[in-house]
Amino acid sequence: LGGFFFLPFLLIENKMKAAAIALGSIVGSLLMLMAHCTTFSACINDTDCSMAGLCIGGQCQCTVGFVGSTCDTLNLTNAAPCGIGSLCVDNTSTWGGSVMLGDDGKYHMFAAIFSAHCPLASWLTNSNIVHAVADRPEGPYTPSDIALGARDPSYWDGITQHNPDIQRAPDGTWLLFYMGSTAPNTTHSNCTSAHQQDTAFPLITQHQRIGIATAKSPYGPWTRRDTPVLEPGPKGEWDDMFVTNPAPLVLKNGTIIMIYKGRSFENPSAMNEGVAIAANYTSPFVRKSQTALPAASNCEDAGLYFDYTMDLYRFVLHCGCNYQMLWSQDGLHWKNNAPQKPWCDVTFSDGTKTTLSRRERPKWVRDANNMIVYISTGVQPNDSIHGGRTFTMLERVV
């Protein structure tokens, strides 16, 4: 009789165990499914891949030059040391170089160089534009000539020639974009830093404008214009104090899209970027950004290119020792969906490593196959490299 009464309880217990096993199986299946989704649903579309990779099967497949689960990190390696590559001039500082492959098979760099052996701090009073040449995109680059130097201070660019960016028009003309400035009673012979004057924005700072010089050869002679091609915006706009840091891109039809930096009298501490467009290099530029582009106000120095794989425009900014990427499908409306990333810890091609105190002025370098292979930046090393002077560094893009 005791066994008779125990049997129903045994049956109930067995059913409960079976239910528990079944429930555990369901929970386990759900956990496995969640794990599967986490692994294979990292992206839904290419936007989730920072528009630097394709979303395939729920995972980002990064294009050349980018790494990371969301393709938000530049893939840089093997920076070129002084003497082996880059642009390093004895006892002289340079800052940021724009490079283009010439018809002669040589790589032609245009960079800021500082007269009278002045340091970077004298960029507003002692900067000229040097033309340097190399057999390989990583260098070493050998100075050839001064493409743009000082001229009569009555010209808009009489004292300062800085921030070069080299392009070519469809007719083969070389286009040297740059920032120029001038101001009365401003010397460029004693390594003066304009920012050491009474105001953070002296006239030589406020008078920064963007211009173009043209030539049939990278060796010149260069024809400079009497007036800038881009002036500050209207009073009250984000760029009404000055405009600088041109980052142009010449399209196949001759149209020029240019990213540039501006500051305003109303909010002078903020650095902002905008877009200007010209039908060709002889046509006027038209401001297209009524408001600044969506980049942090501590970022500047755009390096612009067209990404043929993703079919979009992209530029990189430096933000102190970080960088920031933005992209656009039409060149006018820009998006920023990737975080800032550090880039001042560098490994050179000889295996040595260093931490730079500054890394700015990014520009892209294409090879004979029109592929981006290097990025050029102006860098401030420690005293053990180039005597602590700034130089223009090339780093491999892979």
Side-chain angles (χ1 to χ4, degrees):
L1 184 62
F4 177 83
F5 283 106
F6 178 74
L7 182 59
F9 291 100
L10 181 62
L11 292 174
I12 292 172
E13 181 182 9
N14 288 339
K15 287 182 179 180
M16 291 177 66
K17 286 181 178 179
I21 292 172
L23 180 60
S25 178
I26 293 172
V27 171
S29 298
L30 287 172
L31 290 174
M32 289 180 64
L33 180 60
M34 289 172 65
H36 181 82
C37 290
T38 302
T39 302
F40 296 103
S41 296
C43 62
I44 298 175
N45 52 46
D46 296 344
T47 304
D48 296 331
C49 303
S50 309
M51 292 302 286
L54 301 172
C55 183
I56 300 176
Q59 286 191 325
C60 293
Q61 305 296 322
C62 301
T63 60
V64 173
F66 295 91
V67 292
S69 60
T70 58
C71 306
D72 60 357
T73 304
L74 286 174
N75 195 9
L76 306 177
T77 186
N78 291 337
C82 283
I84 298 175
S86 298
L87 172 64
C88 299
V89 184
D90 290 344
N91 300 316
T92 303
S93 297
T94 66
W95 191 244
S98 177
V99 177
M100 181 159 284
L101 181 63
D103 299 333
D104 57 0
K106 305 284 189 180
Y107 288 87
H108 296 268
M109 175 189 286
F110 294 83
I113 191 168
F114 305 106
S115 63
H117 304 290
C118 293
L120 175 61
S122 300
W123 64 273
L124 270 168
T125 53
N126 290 79
S127 180
N128 306 135
I129 296 176
V130 65
H131 167 221
V133 184
D135 294 324
R136 307 187 308 270
E138 70 272 27
Y141 284 85
T142 302
S144 168
D145 52 89
I146 296 296
L148 301 180
R151 56 177 176 170
D152 192 293
S154 62
Y155 286 100
W156 68 275
D157 61 347
I159 292 177
T160 314
Q161 309 84 43
H162 195 62
N163 292 345
D165 195 310
I166 193 67
Q167 299 284 308
R168 289 191 79 177
D171 65 5
T173 301
W174 290 74
L175 310 176
L176 182 52
F177 291 76
Y178 65 105
M179 179 278 285
S181 187
T182 194
N185 303 317
T186 302
T187 179
H188 52 82
S189 61
N190 62 354
C191 300
T192 301
S193 171
H195 293 290
Q196 293 173 353
Q197 299 181 26
D198 295 336
T199 172
F201 296 98
L203 291 179
I204 190 72
T205 302
Q206 296 183 29
H207 290 174
Q208 292 178 78
R209 306 289 187 267
I210 293 172
I212 302 176
T214 57
K216 294 300 181 183
S217 163
Y219 296 91
W222 294 92
T223 300
R224 293 160 75 166
R225 302 184 184 185
D226 293 342
T227 56
V229 298
L230 188 67
E231 299 271 5
K235 182 175 175 56
E237 296 287 338
W238 61 271
D239 57 350
D240 68 356
M241 182 192 295
F242 65 77
V243 292
T244 184
N245 295 10
L249 183 65
V250 179
L251 307 185
K252 292 180 180 179
N253 65 357
T255 299
I256 303 172
I257 297 176
M258 183 171 68
I259 308 298
Y260 68 97
K261 167 189 163 183
R263 286 191 193 255
S264 69
F265 287 106
E266 294 73 21
N267 187 16
S269 63
M271 300 184 292
N272 293 305
E273 272 65 42
V275 182
I277 292 182
N280 53 63
Y281 69 91
T282 64
S283 299
F285 275 86
V286 178
R287 293 172 68 255
K288 293 294 185 179
S289 300
Q290 301 307 310
T291 58
L293 301 184
S297 62
N298 69 321
C299 300
E300 61 170 339
D301 292 352
L304 174 65
Y305 73 100
F306 188 80
D307 185 331
Y308 293 100
T309 301
M310 300 302 299
D311 193 31
L312 52 77
Y313 302 91
R314 192 189 315 280
F315 69 79
V316 61
L317 300 165
H318 93 82
C319 314
C321 259
N322 294 334
Y323 66 87
Q324 176 75 71
M325 303 292 297
L326 282 80
W327 59 271
S328 170
Q329 293 178 320
D330 61 6
L332 295 174
H333 305 91
W334 292 82
K335 295 183 179 180
N336 165 15
N337 64 337
Q340 293 185 21
K341 296 281 186 173
W343 69 346
C344 279
D345 291 327
V346 173
T347 300
F348 289 103
S349 57
D350 61 4
T352 59
K353 298 182 179 181
T354 191
T355 298
L356 304 167
S357 59
R358 296 181 69 171
R359 186 175 188 182
E360 306 174 13
R361 301 294 302 148
K363 299 294 179 184
W364 306 94
V365 182
R366 293 186 181 271
D367 65 6
N369 298 315
N370 204 32
M371 298 293 294
I372 287 178
V373 290
Y374 278 86
I375 188 170
S376 167
T377 49
V379 300
Q380 176 76 66
N382 59 43
D383 290 343
S384 67
I385 299 175
H386 195 47
R389 293 183 178 273
T390 60
F391 69 97
T392 302
M393 186 182 75
L394 277 295
E395 189 170 19
R396 183 82 181 178
V397 178
V398 295

